[in-house]
Amino acid sequence: MPSIKQNNRLSQWVSSNADALGVCFICAISLYTGLDFLSDRFSWGVFQERDISRVAHFLLGNGLSHLGPELNSGGFLPGPGLTLIFTPFVFFLKSPQAIHFLIQLSFIFSIILSFLLTRHYFNRTIAYISTIMLISVDFFISLAYTGLHHSLIVFFMLLILYVFHLHTQTKNNIYAFLMGCLMGLGLQV
């Protein structure tokens, strides 16, 4: 039977790591709904075919097939930054669903970044409420099954805000430089 001292240590550890445990639980729920590779609900559309063909073209040594973001009558086509972000995942996982995996990772990191920013600027309760609301948004749920690159845009916006937060806290100019690099890469996504 555990002693009172052991129970006290456990309760202290849980209270000191409550935020990490709560965010991990929320991220696990998001992964459960998002990483459904074998489901018949996962759809693969023309945009994913375009992205995987650009990655395959680059991996076969033919270089980048486009040099900047494209805007045509059909809509916005992302720049080569998206191809360069997708390439390592496709190379190591050897599957077009690697793009879907990367998009799910960007959702998870978006959830973590939004929790950290909300907790710092508001409080813990609002951070949990906003995080739960974030994973229940139709945008996140529907894109979990289509694999579009829009989640990377959300991730880069939150990452830029977080780096700006670090810059205002530390007054270190390396964060300003990093923020500029992220803005440039964000334009290519």
Side-chain angles (χ1 to χ4, degrees):
M1 181 169 182
S3 67
I4 294 174
K5 190 180 238 184
Q6 288 174 335
N7 285 339
N8 193 17
R9 280 190 215 153
L10 179 64
S11 65
Q12 285 176 350
W13 183 83
V14 168
S15 65
S16 65
N17 295 312
D19 286 342
L21 293 172
V23 172
C24 285
F25 178 70
I26 292 170
C27 289
I29 293 171
S30 177
L31 278 174
Y32 177 74
T33 60
L35 287 178
D36 197 1
F37 290 124
L38 303 176
S39 171
D40 55 354
R41 294 174 295 195
F42 180 72
S43 65
W44 195 258
V46 73
F47 292 120
Q48 293 84 12
E49 292 174 12
R50 176 204 63 205
D51 293 338
I52 197 67
S53 68
R54 286 180 172 180
V55 170
H57 191 263
F58 181 70
L59 281 174
L60 292 174
N62 297 327
L64 291 171
S65 60
H66 54 299
L67 299 176
E70 304 158 315
L71 187 60
N72 63 13
S73 60
F76 174 71
L77 299 175
L82 187 65
T83 302
L84 295 174
I85 290 171
F86 285 162
T87 299
F89 287 88
V90 173
F91 178 75
F92 288 114
L93 296 177
K94 308 281 192 247
S95 169
Q97 288 186 339
I99 293 175
H100 182 64
F101 181 72
L102 173 66
I103 288 170
Q104 288 307 312
L105 284 179
S106 70
F107 280 139
I108 295 301
F109 288 123
S110 296
I111 290 167
I112 293 169
L113 287 172
S114 66
F115 178 81
L116 292 173
L117 287 168
T118 309
R119 184 184 66 185
H120 183 272
Y121 287 106
F122 297 103
N123 62 29
R124 176 191 271 173
T125 305
I126 293 174
Y128 278 117
I129 292 170
S130 67
T131 305
I132 290 170
M133 290 176 73
L134 184 65
I135 67 167
S136 65
V137 171
D138 185 48
F139 177 77
F140 269 36
I141 295 169
S142 64
L143 289 182
Y145 295 106
T146 56
L148 291 174
H149 67 280
H150 298 89
S151 63
L152 288 170
I153 296 169
V154 173
F155 169 69
F156 275 108
M157 288 180 357
L158 286 170
L159 188 60
I160 290 167
L161 284 173
Y162 187 72
V163 171
F164 177 72
H165 162 72
L166 292 176
H167 176 66
T168 57
Q169 296 295 315
T170 62
K171 306 292 187 223
N172 191 345
N173 287 335
I174 193 73
Y175 291 121
F177 175 76
L178 183 60
M179 198 169 31
C181 292
L182 288 171
M183 285 183 191
L185 185 59
L187 286 174
Q188 296 296 318
V189 172

